[in-house]
């Protein structure tokens, strides 16, 4: 069973700063099957990225995804106030598994 | 408007049953795989169950296998989750989510409902 480990657990940053979130998988994952979700407080999650680096509809280009094998990264180039939230990575395609999440909080 | 709306949550005693519904609108429900995902209070996301568009294939998380049943009525544009033998640890917000329509199975979830709360106590 694949395990997705996200780090750090919490990221404390200021608006305008760059955020780098990590997702490590216990087995190699095809870049076609790695997604990221954003969940704001009290809201349902929404799809941010799929296929590692493809932005979902309506997602601004300050969000980018990269990685391969067992190491994947979500980068937010310049944090806007609305970006402070919890982010989850997910492996799909042959199983459906979420990472534990990274909270991006205002410093 | 493209949306998913869950209902059916509530308070139930351990060992009890509950059926959740997820009403879809604004898209062709019958062509999309669907999922249930839950989130315990203060915790992360846990995928619960999956069904293909035709219900020909269904998967369950080990934590609910044998107790929960996913089903759908494409004529009614509705997804269901029958939850039996409920346990305290099933307490969570339950979301339904649409799988992307790529022609391949087990897609990322590109549309989510707002969730319905199940409390087992």
């Amino acid at each position: 069973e694949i395990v997705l480990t996200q780090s750090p657990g919490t990221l404390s940053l200021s608006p305008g700063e760059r955020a780098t979130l990590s997702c490590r998988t216990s087995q190699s994952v095809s870049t076609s099957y790695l997604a990221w979700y954003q969940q704001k407080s009290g809201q349902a999650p929404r799809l941010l990225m799929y296929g590692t680096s493809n932005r979902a509809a309506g997602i601004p280009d300050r969000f980018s995804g990269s990685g391969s094998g067992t190491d994947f990264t979500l980068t937010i180039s310049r944090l806007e106030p609305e970006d402070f939230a919890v982010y989850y990575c997910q492996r799909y395609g042959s199983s459906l598994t979420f990472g534990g999440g990274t909270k991006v909080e205002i410093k | 408007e493209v949306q998913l709306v869950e209902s059916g949550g509530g308070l139930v005693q351990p060992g009890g049953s509950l059926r959740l519904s997820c009403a879809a609108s604004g898209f062709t429900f019958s062509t999309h795989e669907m999922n249930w995902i839950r989130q315990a209070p203060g915790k992360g996301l846990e995928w619960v169950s999956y069904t293909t568009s035709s219900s020909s294939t269904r998967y369950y998380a080990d934590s609910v296998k044998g107790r929960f049943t996913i089903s759908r009525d494409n004529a009614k544009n509705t997804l269901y989750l029958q939850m039996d033998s409920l346990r305290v640890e099933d307490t969570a917000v339950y979301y339904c989510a649409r799988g992307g329509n790529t022609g391949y199975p087990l897609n990322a979830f590109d549309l989510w409902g707002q969730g319905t709360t199940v409390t087992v106590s």
Side-chain angles (χ1 to χ4, degrees), chain A residues 11-35:
Chain A
L11 200 51
S12 298
L13 295 168
S14 300
E17 290 194 293
R18 182 184 188 89
T20 303
L21 287 66
S22 172
C23 176
R24 290 190 170 172
T25 61
S26 61
Q27 308 168 14
S28 183
V29 172
S30 166
T31 56
S32 298
Y33 299 124
L34 196 287

Side-chain angles (χ1 to χ4, degrees), chain B residues 7-99:
Chain B
S7 61
L11 175 63
V12 61
Q13 293 183 339
S17 297
L18 213 53
R19 187 174 87 153
L20 306 183
S21 298
C22 169
S25 58
F27 66 97
T28 307
F29 178 73
S30 62
T31 65
H32 285 266
E33 55 189 35
M34 295 294 296
N35 298 269
W36 287 100
I37 300 97
R38 69 184 180 184
Q39 186 169 36
K43 302 297 184 182
L45 301 173
E46 179 189 16
W47 168 78
V48 172
S49 186
Y50 159 94
T51 178
T52 53
S53 58
S54 65
S55 304
S56 59
T57 301
R58 310 178 202 193
Y59 296 129
Y60 300 92
D62 288 344
S63 57
V64 307
K65 201 172 295 183
R67 301 187 299 122
F68 289 12
T69 303
I70 191 171
S71 63
R72 63 190 296 162
D73 185 334
N74 286 343
K76 294 183 178 180
N77 292 334
T78 303
L79 176 73
Y80 302 100
L81 185 67
Q82 177 66 41
M83 304 187 295
D84 298 320
S85 303
L86 282 161
R87 305 168 180 168
V88 171
E89 55 265 34
D90 294 320
T91 294
V93 175
Y94 285 73
Y95 297 100
C96 63
R98 183 181 77 176

Side-chain angles (χ1 to χ4, degrees), chain A residues 26-94:
Chain A
S26 61
Q27 308 168 14
S28 183
V29 172
S30 166
T31 56
S32 298
Y33 299 124
L34 196 287
W36 291 90
Y37 298 84
Q38 176 193 65
Q39 187 178 31
K40 298 180 182 179
S41 180
Q43 297 185 16
R46 70 163 175 166
L47 180 65
L48 278 181
M49 313 289 300
Y50 63 94
T52 298
S53 59
N54 300 290
R55 281 186 295 277
I59 303 303
D61 60 8
R62 64 180 180 272
F63 291 90
S64 62
S66 62
S68 64
T70 59
D71 288 329
F72 296 87
T73 300
L74 175 70
T75 301
I76 311 171
S77 59
R78 296 173 308 279
L79 282 164
E80 297 287 341
E82 61 268 27
D83 298 336
F84 291 92
V86 181
Y87 293 84
Y88 295 93
C89 59
Q90 180 205 31
R91 185 266 190 104
Y92 59 98
S94 57

